[in-house]
Amino acid sequence: MTNFTVEAIELTRLYGGRAAVSNVSFNLSKGEVLGFLGPNGAGKSTTMKMLTGNLAPSNGSVKICGIDMIENPKEAKALIGYLPEMRPLYKEFTVDEYLTMAARLHRVSAKHIKPAVERAKARCGLSHMSKRLIENLSNGYQQRVGIAQAIIHSPMVIILDEPTVGLDPIQIRDIRALIRELGQEHSVIISTHILPEVEMVCDHVQIIDKGVLVFNGSIDVLKNQRVGNKLLIGLKNPPSVADMLGIAGVIEAEMLPSGLMRVRFAEGATPAEAIVQASVQNGWGLHQIAPDQTSLEDVFVQLTYQEQPIVAE
Ligand code: ADP
């Protein structure tokens, strides 16, 4: 028996000889929320379709709780709830009618359908919308209905493709909170091109670029990459760049338009103390010194321009 809820093994998908997804492998465990991050066209949807058994891989395989998607598609699919990028809603149905139909499609037994519908509505904050036509709901509520149909059969694995696209900030906040909550009992995979979303919602992140995984690791590893080897220094009477370069460990210094000086230091060097001392001795008038954090966007850009994959479990 495997402990993994999802195993993607060397997944590859070719379109007309071109690889939209190439050799993607990863595992997911119960209680984990995985963020699948990448620019538009990176291969996120294609990967999700293969994971959910909606698209056959050209090569590689998918196992859900140890069940092979190609050999036993019915059993494997029964363990998945999926919200594709284009929500599969019937807008002329009420919320109750639609979720009842979704429960039937997911083979929930007749006597369990009503409780399953009530439970999914309660989890997605839809109980007061039961009799409303889906077409009359706001975009955010329609998205909740989309998520409710994905969890109606209490699947082990929930896969949500771009779950917050097109929502307003309040709706986004609500949906993210719901995803975090779902992540406590299920395994959740979300795809997104929004970096802070991954930071807020996921424990684990994979970055895909041009069909290839360029990062696979915990969110903490990604966050740590933000802290670079740079300092931002505010000085009333700044020295010349040459003087700053005279301090041991400093390998680059530049004066920024903001009046702050940015200093880059060698790997392993800790020049902050020496800079403070030099400032006191020379009357530079130090009033600020702090790490210059690379934005997460910068980390993302660096990673998606990298040639070699980084694997940091
Ligand atoms: P993402 O979800 O990250 O935006 P996709 O998985 O939709 O990316 O697409 C990855 C690449 O595969 C893109 O270059 C896209 O144009 C291509 N692609 C996706 N679906 C098809 C298809 N049915 N036929 C041909 N090319 C496709």
Side-chain angles (χ1 to χ4, degrees), residues 13-16 18-21 36-49 55 85 161-162 191-193 208 210-211:
R13 174 70 200 197
L14 303 173
Y15 283 121
R18 225 190 102 245
V21 171
F36 210 60
L37 183 73
N40 288 327
K44 301 183 296 295
S45 293
T46 305
T47 306
M48 301 227 145
K49 285 181 199 157
L55 182 71
E85 203 175 356
D161 199 349
E162 302 265 4
S191 78
T192 179
H193 60 276
I208 187 168
K210 301 182 196 81

Side-chain angles (χ1 to χ4, degrees), residues 14-228:
L14 303 173
Y15 283 121
R18 225 190 102 245
V21 171
S22 182
N23 248 324
V24 166
S25 297
F26 64 88
N27 298 324
L28 191 67
S29 301
K30 187 166 184 255
E32 276 187 335
V33 181
L34 167 69
F36 210 60
L37 183 73
N40 288 327
K44 301 183 296 295
S45 293
T46 305
T47 306
M48 301 227 145
K49 285 181 199 157
M50 289 193 280
L51 292 175
T52 53
N54 286 289
L55 182 71
S58 308
N59 194 25
S61 59
V62 173
K63 287 184 183 169
I64 307 295
C65 302
I67 300 171
D68 192 288
M69 182 62 81
I70 293 174
E71 286 168 15
N72 295 303
K74 259 191 193 166
E75 289 85 342
K77 283 184 189 181
L79 299 168
I80 296 177
Y82 177 41
L83 177 63
E85 203 175 356
M86 301 295 287
R87 290 176 213 140
L89 300 180
Y90 290 93
K91 298 200 172 177
E92 63 279 27
F93 282 26
T94 65
V95 171
D96 270 357
E97 286 166 352
Y98 173 71
L99 292 179
T100 302
M101 182 193 72
R104 285 201 186 108
L105 287 174
H106 282 296
R107 298 202 163 78
V108 176
S109 64
K111 69 171 184 195
H112 290 121
I113 286 180
K114 205 163 182 317
V117 170
E118 293 308 318
R119 186 167 176 272
K121 281 189 302 186
R123 294 206 75 175
C124 298
L126 284 166
S127 301
H128 58 304
M129 296 289 175
S130 307
K131 306 288 174 234
R132 294 275 292 270
L133 284 179
I134 293 174
E135 67 184 354
N136 294 336
L137 297 179
S138 69
N139 205 6
Y141 271 97
Q142 290 192 11
Q143 189 69 342
R144 288 173 191 232
V145 178
I147 297 177
Q149 67 75 32
I151 64 170
I152 194 98
H153 53 309
S154 294
M156 289 293 288
V157 179
I158 301 169
I159 300 184
L160 309 171
D161 199 349
E162 302 265 4
T164 60
V165 157
L167 304 185
D168 70 36
I170 294 171
Q171 295 166 339
I172 288 175
R173 192 195 57 191
D174 292 350
I175 295 290
R176 285 179 183 161
L178 174 60
I179 294 168
R180 272 198 302 271
E181 206 187 300
L182 292 172
Q184 291 166 11
E185 282 176 36
H186 309 254
S187 293
V188 182
I189 303 180
I190 65 161
S191 78
T192 179
H193 60 276
I194 308 163
L195 231 130
E197 181 152 291
V198 166
E199 204 179 2
M200 278 178 243
V201 174
C202 307
D203 339 282
H204 206 83
V205 59
Q206 295 188 341
I207 301 182
I208 187 168
D209 182 43
K210 301 182 196 81
V212 178
L213 274 190
V214 293
F215 179 89
N216 177 14
S218 81
I219 195 78
D220 292 334
V221 173
L222 190 68
K223 280 182 187 166
N224 285 343
Q225 302 214 3
R226 294 170 75 166
V227 185

